[in-house]
């Protein structure tokens, strides 16, 4: 079934691909018709993950699937040959917990009633608190927004499959497992929904407004779901003479969760967050996975005893930028920074099942670099590789399709110039669903790298002296959603970056205005703007963090804070 | 077959048990600690000069002048030292990842035990001040706040190990300025949360009690129908009303933030109307004005010793509050309500000998036995008596001298703070920090991109003549 699904669209897309000559890999002059979509990668060191490493191996790919793999196998006559002599081929890497490709669902901003925008604004501000982050029925599939370039940076790091979900609120959404290709979202989905993702961030402007509130809210939601199940079971069994229960989208969405059919992924970082999550899961007998868990090295044995599965974040804590006196940091914080890379080794030693995730990593290319740091910190190299390939495939129930180079599996492959954990190794190509994709330079380097800096004559942007995060890119057009009390409000932020200073404008339902005092340090940006509503000045300050193509933060209006998140509008060039 | 297995197993288990016992028997007293030559302030039965305390398995096994320990007992020579019960704070907000769920006026469903932070450095700082047990309260932003938590300050242990397992359930109420002004500063256009007056606070609590009573009734009806052999749909569980119903059944104790005499009397009357009692009035600055009424109701009082005039409703506070209420027979405790005061908690009690002539033991009880009584934990903490938990503080002088300081703090016979060890460790910690900073300095960029900007290189060797490797 699944195999068939990829076949047709794949052919169409590849034909289009060839016709449009966008690919640099296939030279336009040599475009010719092939009988099927068959490739043969030859001459490479093939790291199959589940079997032995094959020197000078051949991988044959047809119709999106791996047809054959071995040392001495014939190359079909219709296959296009990729000479990968001297290269190393890996199965595509998983990122087991991210928020790639998501544009928060924007509900249309209520049109101002009448002609008085101030009234409309007040109406918006006084509306009942937002339900964003409180609805378990929200699915990530509805929020996926993928273009050709959306996953450029991930592919440059060899990441071909991801579990993606937003990371705000309590019920953060039902996640999706997707291939990071260039197709439309529908064609990329491997499994959706996979899990219900839960975080411990309280909603703004209403209940729950605190961490204890979040737990009470979660507990009540699951109790209500149990009651709903009982109510409907009774009604379905004997409807005659019985009152028909009410239908609830939210409680219906929680049924697979309370029945243990759909796992919950808890978004955690500290030890006590992990323990609270597990305590809660046990209270309701939930199937669960622990994501993030950067402090899990402290409780590896506990996690083993609980038989927990960890989607371990490779986003290691970093020294805050602009820290003048390092003495002012607590020893505990310094220890946590020193210990975080050891987490994977600790979990492995304790026998805890885990897979790597990028967590809140700003630059996808750090994913492999940080996995290499985990190896330096004691994790066996083959385990690190498995934590990016076969382990996540097993955890997500995809080990029949992905996670290794084996006959019949989906042709998600990485062609690298050598051992992936070695510093100078580069990813040359990735293949996703049997489609060979070229690698574009990561956007960060395109825009603030030496070239861009030289061209624009940036101040202070000397490559190599800047801390890595400051390369984070603000320039471009951002589509934002602000969680105002009346629900998400869409706006567009256009930024120009010159070193650390930002200029641009923001376009909101209440008008477009320039931004002031725009600054970016590392990946953290601040700016403010003033909306003019019928002669009334309404100053708003914003503070945010850029995370690849995603942005999130807070806007402060008249002493109230509202969180916002958004994505970068894909570059058209 | 099965039977034989069972018999075999039981023999095996029995043998193992016996072996374990034998091992213990070989080391009699290895689970014993003897503190000797101390001045012991028991908080329950006076002062013992040159006394000893024997601790066995974390409990106080003997106290007195003439205490015998096994040869293997660990001995702490406390010559020149004072020993008091570990201090108990009846009103703390330390070691929590949250204070107020202020979004609603009644949030009885939230529980502070869900958000205990066992890594809060204030735990260790308070241990260094002799504190061993704290009552972690919800804040006072709303008329009925959340359910509180009681922990022992077992620094380095898990949250589960810190919780006092048999502690009663308690809930925070709040009267007066805080619950009615919680959103005075709400942004323009935002409706203010009800209530906005003291009358409104009373009404909010009465309404919550009424709803709790109705909720109880619903469940009683359900149980009755089940008892009649019917098969009714159980009512929806509502965590807020479930807590309110438990308050009305006396299963959850009320600890209420309050200041003014009129509202103190209001709450006691309101509770009496529903057949329940206020367990502890918190802050209770004007308690001295209505001490007979409080005593008659049977509430206890947990107070700030000598704070006043920091807000309108605090203008009539007097430092004699503790003494006046104590003389009226009310169980009075002093609380910190502050991470900072909690570190030198014992000094606060000393002040009460000055204001109102409390005896030394009465004053000491304000921070030991009395808060334990208020938290219904006096069967195991709060005084140095046989059978109680060995939660003890060894001070280098009398606790009411400002020159004294705790040298050792133990909980259940285990030392969690030892000043000598702390001072020894300090150099190591300083060095560790220096090393870590130095290590980071040597590699300022923690993360180096492995992948330089990749260039796009065609890897397909097109038109390979024979299409074979």
């Amino acid at each position: 079934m699944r195999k068939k699904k990829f076949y047709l669209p794949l052919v169409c897309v590849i034909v289009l691909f060839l016709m449009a000559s966008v690919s640099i890999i296939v030279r336009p002059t040599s475009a010719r018709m092939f009988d099927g979509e068959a490739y043969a990668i030859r001459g490479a060191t093939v790291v199959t993950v589940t079997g032995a490493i094959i020197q000078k191996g051949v991988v044959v790919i047809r119709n999106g699937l791996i047809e054959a793999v071995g040392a001495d196998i014939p190359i079909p006559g219709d296959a296009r040959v990729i000479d990968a002599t001297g290269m190393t081929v890996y199965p595509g890497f998983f990122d087991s917990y991210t928020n790639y490709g998501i544009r928060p669902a924007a509900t249309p901003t209520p049109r101002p009633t009448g002609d008085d925008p101030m009234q409309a604004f007040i109406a918006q501000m006084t509306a009942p608190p937002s339900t964003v982050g409180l609805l378990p029925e929200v699915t990530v599939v509805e929020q996926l927004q993928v273009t050709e370039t959306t996953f450029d940076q991930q592919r440059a790091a060899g990441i071909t499959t991801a579990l993606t979900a937003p990371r705000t609120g309590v019920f953060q959404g039902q996640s999706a497992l997707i291939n990071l290709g260039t197709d439309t979202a529908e064609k990329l989905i491997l499994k959706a929904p996979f899990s219900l993702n839960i975080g411990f961030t309280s909603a703004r402007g209403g209940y729950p407004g605190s961490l204890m509130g979040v737990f009470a809210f979660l507990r009540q939601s699951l109790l209500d779901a149990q009651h709903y199940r009982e109510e409907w079971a009774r009604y379905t069994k004997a409807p005659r003479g019985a009152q028909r229960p009410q239908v609830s989208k939210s409680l219906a969405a929680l049924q697979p969760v309370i029945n243990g059919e759909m796992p919950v992924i808890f978004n955690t970082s500290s030890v006590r967050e992990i323990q609270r999550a597990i305590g809660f899961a046990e209270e309701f007998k939930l199937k669960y996975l622990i994501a993030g868990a950067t402090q899990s090295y402290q409780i590896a044995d506990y996690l083993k005893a609980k038989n927990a599965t960890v989607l371990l974040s490779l986003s290691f804590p970093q020294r805050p930028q602009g820290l003048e006196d390092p003495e002012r940091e607590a020893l505990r914080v310094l220890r946590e920074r020193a210990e975080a890379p050891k987490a994977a080794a600790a979990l492995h030693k304790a026998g805890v099942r885990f897979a790597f995730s990028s967590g809140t990593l700003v630059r996808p290319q750090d994913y492999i670099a940080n996995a290499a740091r985990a190896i330096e910190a004691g994790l066996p190299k083959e385990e690190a590789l498995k934590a990016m390939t076969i382990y996540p495939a097993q955890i997500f129930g995809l080990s029949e399709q992905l996670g290794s180079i084996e006959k019949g599996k989906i042709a998600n492959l990485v062609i690298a110039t050598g051992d992936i954990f070695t510093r100078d190794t580069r990813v040359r190509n990735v293949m996703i669903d049997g489609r060979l994709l070229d690698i574009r330079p990561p956007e960060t380097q395109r825009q603030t790298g030496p070239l861009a800096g030289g061209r624009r004559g940036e101040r202070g942007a000397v490559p190599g002296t800047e801390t890595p995060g400051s390369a984070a890119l603000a320039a471009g057009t951002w589509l934002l959603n602000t969680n105002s009390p009346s629900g998400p409000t869409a706006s567009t932020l256009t930024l120009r970056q010159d070193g650390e200073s930002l200029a641009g404008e923001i376009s909101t339902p209440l008008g477009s205005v320039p931004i002031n005092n725009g600054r970016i340090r590392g990946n953290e940006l601040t700016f403010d703007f003033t909306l003019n509503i019928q002669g009334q000045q309404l100053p708003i300050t914003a503070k945010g963090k850029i995370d690849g193509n995603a942005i999130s933060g807070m806007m402060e209006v008249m002493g109230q804070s509202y969180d916002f998140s958004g994505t970068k509008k894909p570059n058209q060039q | 077959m099965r039977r034989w297995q069972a018999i075999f197993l039981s023999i095996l288990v029995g043998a193992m048990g016996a072996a374990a016992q034998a091992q213990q028997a070989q080391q009699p007293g290895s689970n014993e600690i003897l503190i000797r030559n101390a001045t012991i302030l028991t908080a329950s039965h006076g002062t013992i000069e040159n006394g000893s305390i024997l601790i066995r398995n974390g409990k106080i096994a003997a106290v007195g002048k003439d205490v015998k320990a096994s040869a293997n007992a660990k001995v702490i020579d406390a010559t020149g030292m004072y020993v008091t019960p570990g201090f108990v704070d009846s009103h703390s907000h330390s070691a929590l990842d949250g204070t107020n769920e202020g979004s609603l006026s009644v949030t009885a469903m939230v529980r502070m035990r869900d958000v205990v932070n066992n890594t809060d450095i204030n735990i260790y700082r308070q241990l260094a001040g002799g504190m061993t047990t704290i009552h972690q309260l919800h804040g006072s932003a709303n008329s009925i706040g959340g359910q509180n938590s009681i922990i022992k300050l077992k620094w380095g242990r898990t949250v589960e190990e810190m919780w006092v397992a048999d502690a009663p359930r308690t809930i925070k109420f709040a009267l007066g300025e805080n619950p009615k002004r919680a959103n005075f500063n709400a942004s323009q256009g935002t409706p203010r949360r009800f209530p906005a007056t003291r009358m409104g606070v009373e009404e909010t609590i009465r309404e919550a009690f009424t709803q709790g009573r109705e909720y109880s009734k619903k469940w009683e009806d359900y149980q009755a129908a089940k008892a009649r052999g019917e098969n009714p749909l159980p009512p929806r569980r509502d965590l807020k009303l479930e807590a309110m119903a438990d308050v009305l059944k006396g299963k959850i104790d009320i600890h209420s933030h309050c200041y003014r005499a009129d509202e103190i009397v209001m709450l006691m009357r309101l509770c009496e109307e529903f057949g329940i009692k206020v367990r502890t009035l918190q802050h209770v600055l004007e308690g001295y004005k209505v001490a007979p009424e409080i005593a008659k109701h049977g509430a206890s009082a947990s107070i700030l010793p000598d704070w006043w005039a920091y807000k309108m409703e605090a203008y009539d506070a007097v430092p004699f509050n503790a003494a006046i209420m104590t003389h009226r027979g009310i169980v009075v405790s002093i609380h910190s309500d502050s991470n900072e005061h909690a570190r030198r908690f014992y000094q606060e009690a000393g002040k009460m000998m000055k204001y109102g002539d409390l005896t030394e033991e009465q004053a000491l009880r304000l921070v030991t036995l009395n808060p334990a009584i208020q938290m219904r934990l006096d069967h195991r903490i709060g005084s140095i008596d046989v059978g109680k938990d060995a939660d003890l503080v060894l001070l280098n002088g009398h606790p009411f001298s400002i020159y004294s300081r705790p040298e050792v703090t133990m909980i259940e016979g285990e030392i969690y703070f030892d000043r000598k060890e702390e001072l020894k460790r300090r150099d190591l910690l300083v060095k560790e920090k220096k090393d870590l900073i130095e290590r980071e300095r040597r590699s300022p960029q923690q993360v180096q991109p492995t992948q330089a900007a990749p260039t796009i290189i065609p890897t397909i060797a097109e038109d390979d003549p024979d299409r074979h490797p």
Side-chain angles (χ1 to χ4, degrees):
Chain A
M1 283 297 283
R2 197 167 260 112
K3 293 173 188 171
K4 247 183 187 167
K5 213 158 89 185
F6 291 111
Y7 178 67
L8 251 184
L10 191 75
V11 172
C12 298
V13 167
I14 290 193
V15 168
L16 279 174
F17 195 71
L18 294 173
M19 281 163 58
S21 299
V22 281
S23 166
I24 305 174
I25 306 156
V26 180
R27 273 167 281 168
T29 48
S30 62
R32 50 144 110 161
M33 298 303 290
F34 293 97
D35 289 324
E37 270 315 318
Y39 287 96
I41 302 171
R42 69 162 192 205
T45 302
V46 180
V47 182
T48 61
V49 174
T50 44
I53 293 174
I54 304 164
Q55 302 295 341
K56 291 196 169 36
V58 175
V59 186
V60 181
I61 298 109
R62 187 183 298 278
N63 298 334
L65 301 174
I66 297 167
E67 191 178 66
V69 55
D72 290 308
I73 55 167
I75 291 187
D78 63 343
R80 287 195 291 159
V81 175
I82 300 170
D83 182 7
T85 305
M87 307 268 168
T88 307
V89 178
Y90 293 94
F93 304 135
F94 275 76
D95 184 341
S96 61
Y97 182 72
T98 72
N99 58 358
Y100 299 157
I102 290 166
R103 161 128 168 91
T107 50
T109 311
R111 283 186 69 80
T113 45
D115 302 329
D116 187 349
M118 190 65 198
Q119 285 301 317
F121 182 77
I122 288 170
Q124 202 179 317
M125 285 295 167
T126 55
S130 159
T131 52
V132 170
L134 300 179
L135 301 176
E137 66 267 34
V138 172
T139 65
V140 167
V141 173
E142 293 159 21
Q143 302 175 54
L144 276 177
Q145 204 180 52
V146 181
T147 68
E148 286 240 336
T149 57
T150 307
F151 302 128
D152 272 351
Q153 296 187 53
Q154 285 76 22
R155 288 191 293 262
I159 303 168
T160 60
T161 304
L163 178 123
T164 186
R167 286 195 289 244
T168 47
V170 182
F171 290 128
Q172 304 186 329
Q174 295 185 23
S175 69
L177 281 153
I178 56 171
N179 267 347
L180 303 181
T182 53
D183 280 319
T184 56
E186 289 77 3
K187 292 176 188 166
L188 297 176
I189 290 168
L190 292 156
K191 215 178 217 189
F194 170 73
S195 61
L196 175 63
N197 288 21
I198 291 181
F200 303 122
T201 333
S202 53
R204 308 225 159 244
Y207 176 79
S210 67
L211 187 59
M212 8 347 144
V214 165
F215 277 95
F217 168 80
L218 280 171
R219 208 169 266 132
Q220 186 68 61
S221 298
L222 296 196
L223 286 174
D224 284 350
Q226 288 172 353
H227 189 255
Y228 187 78
R229 175 174 63 189
E230 171 79 14
E231 218 178 1
W232 273 98
R234 282 166 178 262
Y235 180 72
T236 313
K237 211 170 137 197
R240 181 168 297 202
Q243 296 269 321
R244 186 176 70 258
Q246 208 173 298
V247 166
S248 159
K249 256 195 207 173
S250 299
L251 298 181
L254 287 173
Q255 295 307 308
V257 173
I258 58 166
N259 293 333
E261 294 150 16
M262 183 190 278
V264 164
I265 295 184
F266 290 104
N267 181 0
T268 70
S269 59
S270 67
V271 165
R272 54 186 193 280
E273 269 182 342
I274 297 169
Q275 288 172 333
R276 282 170 192 155
I278 292 179
F280 184 78
E282 287 181 343
E283 190 179 331
F284 285 92
K285 299 188 172 63
L286 306 177
K287 216 163 117 185
Y288 67 90
L289 301 161
I290 300 294
T294 39
Q295 290 181 9
S296 54
Y297 58 89
Q298 295 177 28
I299 48 164
D301 291 335
Y302 163 87
L303 289 165
K304 177 63 189 166
K306 295 290 181 190
N307 199 20
T309 300
V310 177
L311 307 177
L312 181 66
S313 169
L314 285 173
S315 175
F316 302 141
Q318 281 186 287
R319 205 152 76 98
Q321 283 163 32
L323 183 76
E324 270 152 33
D325 181 9
E327 284 289 333
R328 294 188 62 173
E329 281 195 292
L331 175 59
R332 178 179 52 82
V333 174
L334 291 165
R335 274 183 187 157
E336 280 164 12
R337 279 212 294 273
E339 296 297 315
K342 299 176 188 164
L347 293 182
H348 168 63
K349 208 173 145 215
V352 178
R353 195 158 83 135
F354 74 97
F356 282 139
S357 69
S358 65
T360 53
L361 265 186
V362 175
R363 303 183 306 168
Q365 65 264 40
D366 292 339
Y367 187 61
I368 306 294
N370 283 0
R373 285 179 67 196
I375 295 168
E376 270 168 46
L379 180 71
K381 198 159 111 182
E382 55 277 18
E383 287 297 315
L385 186 60
K386 283 180 178 176
M388 306 193 304
T389 53
I390 192 69
Y391 291 160
Q394 287 163 353
I395 289 166
F396 298 137
L398 292 173
S399 55
E400 287 298 306
Q401 299 105 299
L402 287 168
S404 63
I405 303 180
E406 283 181 87
K407 189 182 171 199
K409 287 201 174 183
I410 293 170
N412 278 10
L413 301 169
V414 176
I415 304 172
T417 56
D419 181 342
I420 194 70
F421 298 119
T422 305
R423 197 178 199 74
D424 299 326
T425 299
R426 294 181 309 183
V427 170
R428 278 284 170 87
N429 293 98
V430 293
M431 187 172 269
I432 293 178
D433 281 321
R435 237 182 102 178
L436 194 65
L437 301 171
D438 56 335
I439 299 301
R440 288 165 208 261
E443 244 181 285
T444 48
Q445 284 165 357
R446 240 192 308 175
Q447 298 197 16
T448 54
L451 262 181
R455 201 166 51 233
R456 290 184 199 151
E458 280 176 20
R459 286 161 291 158
V462 184
T465 57
E466 283 284 284
T467 33
S470 63
L473 256 222
T477 304
W478 298 86
L479 307 169
L480 304 185
N481 261 302
T482 308
N483 279 331
S484 77
S486 60
T489 305
S491 52
T492 308
L493 174 68
T494 311
L495 292 177
R496 291 179 298 280
Q497 182 174 350
D498 182 9
E500 286 194 341
S501 71
L502 297 174
E505 61 165 26
I506 186 161
S507 161
T508 76
L510 295 163
S512 296
V513 290
I515 64 155
N516 310 311
N517 304 321
R519 274 188 82 73
I520 179 156
R521 297 204 69 156
N523 60 329
E524 288 173 9
L525 61 97
T526 51
F527 61 90
D528 49 58
F529 57 98
T530 304
L531 288 177
N532 186 323
I533 301 166
Q534 288 212 327
Q536 295 235 35
Q537 302 290 318
L538 187 73
I540 297 168
T541 59
K543 219 170 149 178
K545 209 170 171 181
I546 292 178
D547 184 356
N549 279 331
I551 188 169
S552 61
M554 303 282 294
M555 287 199 193
E556 245 188 69
V557 191
M558 299 192 298
Q560 297 278 96
S561 310
Y562 303 102
D563 54 342
F564 71 87
S565 57
T567 51
K568 194 171 197 172
K569 207 167 154 184
N571 226 322
Q572 300 304 327
Q573 48 193 316
Chain B
M1 190 60 197
R2 279 270 158 96
R3 211 167 134 211
W4 284 112
Q5 273 179 354
I7 289 170
F8 175 72
L9 265 177
S10 66
I11 290 169
L12 190 70
V13 169
M16 278 161 62
Q21 268 180 356
Q23 210 167 19
Q24 270 201 341
Q26 279 166 10
Q27 294 274 325
S30 56
N31 52 352
E32 286 186 0
I33 303 169
L34 181 72
I35 302 171
R36 63 178 187 204
N37 299 332
T39 304
I40 303 169
L41 308 182
T42 63
S44 58
H45 58 284
T47 302
I48 304 165
E49 305 280 351
N50 284 319
S52 300
I53 302 170
L54 178 66
I55 300 161
R56 190 180 296 131
N57 296 327
K59 298 269 182 194
I60 297 169
V63 192
K65 281 197 172 294
D66 201 21
V67 171
K68 296 259 181 300
S70 322
N72 289 316
K74 184 188 163 196
V75 176
I76 299 174
D77 182 21
T79 306
M81 299 227 260
Y82 283 73
V83 181
T84 70
F87 302 121
V88 181
D89 192 349
S90 51
H91 187 134
S92 169
H93 301 292
S94 303
L96 290 171
D97 283 334
T99 309
N100 277 301
E101 174 58 57
S103 58
L104 308 167
S105 278
V106 179
T107 58
M109 61 287 199
V110 312
R111 309 189 319 194
M112 303 317 284
R113 63 177 286 151
D114 287 331
V115 302
V116 174
N117 177 359
N118 62 336
T119 66
D120 183 356
I121 192 63
N122 288 304
I123 293 176
Y124 190 67
R125 288 177 182 158
Q126 292 176 22
L127 271 172
M131 194 77 83
T132 54
T133 305
I134 63 172
H135 191 196
Q136 299 175 294
L137 298 186
H138 184 274
S140 52
N142 38 8
S143 310
I144 298 182
Q147 299 174 48
N148 311 312
S149 155
I150 297 174
I151 60 164
K152 289 209 187 184
L153 303 183
K154 296 178 183 171
W155 181 242
R157 297 303 186 89
T158 66
V159 173
E160 284 79 4
E161 288 167 320
M162 288 189 181
W163 282 329
V164 178
D166 56 347
R169 294 165 71 197
T170 70
I171 191 167
K172 178 75 175 285
F173 279 28
L175 312 177
E177 286 178 21
N178 291 15
K180 77 186 179 72
R181 72 163 182 195
N183 55 359
F184 269 20
N185 297 326
S187 61
Q188 195 186 344
T190 306
R192 286 211 326 230
R193 192 192 69 197
F194 181 86
T197 63
R198 284 172 205 266
M199 298 93 82
V201 171
E202 177 177 3
E203 189 45 37
T204 302
I205 297 172
R206 178 176 281 110
E207 177 62 23
F209 281 165
T210 308
Q211 285 182 15
R213 195 160 60 186
E214 284 164 4
Y215 182 79
S216 280
K217 174 85 172 45
K218 238 193 248 178
W219 277 91
E220 282 156 20
D221 290 349
Y222 164 72
Q223 298 296 355
K226 259 180 72 173
R228 286 194 301 272
E230 293 167 27
N231 182 23
L233 176 73
R236 168 183 179 264
R237 270 186 73 189
D238 184 315
L239 293 174
K240 180 175 84 178
L241 298 181
E242 204 169 273
M244 291 316 301
D246 284 350
V247 169
L248 293 175
K249 286 174 194 150
K251 288 183 185 171
I252 300 181
D253 286 337
I254 298 169
H255 289 250
S256 183
H257 163 111
C258 57
Y259 281 78
R260 269 173 31 180
D262 54 351
E263 68 187 10
I264 292 166
V265 173
M266 176 279 285
L267 181 68
M268 293 191 302
R269 283 183 184 152
L270 180 56
C271 286
E272 283 163 14
E273 192 183 314
F274 284 83
I276 53 171
K277 277 184 182 168
V278 181
R279 180 72 191 173
T280 305
L281 295 160
Q282 298 282 345
H283 308 327
V284 57
L285 267 61
E286 291 187 12
Y288 66 95
K289 292 185 182 174
V290 286
E293 286 81 358
I294 295 172
K296 191 171 162 233
H297 177 82
S300 58
S302 163
I303 68 166
L304 293 163
D306 56 357
W307 295 18
W308 68 88
Y310 49 91
K311 57 170 158 173
M312 281 305 277
E313 60 187 1
Y315 269 51
D316 267 5
V318 296
F320 295 90
N321 201 13
I324 292 173
M325 288 196 285
T326 300
H327 292 320
R328 276 288 174 179
I330 297 168
V331 175
V332 180
S333 69
I334 285 177
H335 63 237
S336 78
D337 195 11
S338 145
N339 289 332
E340 194 273 324
H341 275 223
R343 295 186 292 134
R344 46 184 178 79
F345 198 48
Y346 45 93
Q347 294 176 357
E348 301 293 317
K351 293 178 186 171
M352 296 301 115
M353 290 178 73
K354 175 177 169 64
Y355 299 109
D357 295 334
L358 289 186
T359 65
E360 181 189 276
E361 185 155 292
Q362 277 176 327
L364 184 63
R365 281 183 188 179
L366 296 174
V367 290
T368 53
L369 188 58
N370 288 359
I373 293 169
Q374 292 172 349
M375 289 146 70
R376 295 189 199 273
L377 287 174
D378 50 310
H379 61 285
R380 55 179 286 191
I381 60 169
S383 63
I384 300 178
D385 282 295
V386 173
K388 287 201 180 187
D389 295 355
D391 297 0
L392 302 168
V393 192
L394 277 69
L395 298 105
N396 67 345
H398 194 285
F400 295 162
S401 160
I402 57 164
Y403 300 106
S404 300
R405 60 170 186 243
E407 294 288 336
V408 171
T409 304
M410 61 168 70
I411 299 175
E412 292 161 21
E414 200 168 324
I415 293 173
Y416 285 90
F417 172 76
D418 183 330
R419 194 178 148 80
K420 280 203 195 84
E421 293 297 316
E422 165 60 34
L423 292 177
K424 257 192 257 167
R425 199 170 47 221
R426 220 167 261 184
D427 289 341
L428 292 175
L429 295 174
V430 167
K431 185 177 180 307
E432 186 188 351
K433 188 168 178 178
K434 221 180 115 204
D435 290 350
L436 285 170
I437 290 170
E438 188 48 41
R439 214 177 91 172
E440 283 196 352
R441 196 173 282 144
R442 278 199 309 271
S443 53
Q445 296 196 2
Q446 284 202 10
V447 184
Q448 295 272 3
T450 43
Q451 293 160 8
T455 37
I456 301 161
I457 305 161
T459 52
I460 295 182
E462 279 290 326
D463 296 324
D464 186 9
D466 54 6
R467 287 200 175 118
H468 287 285

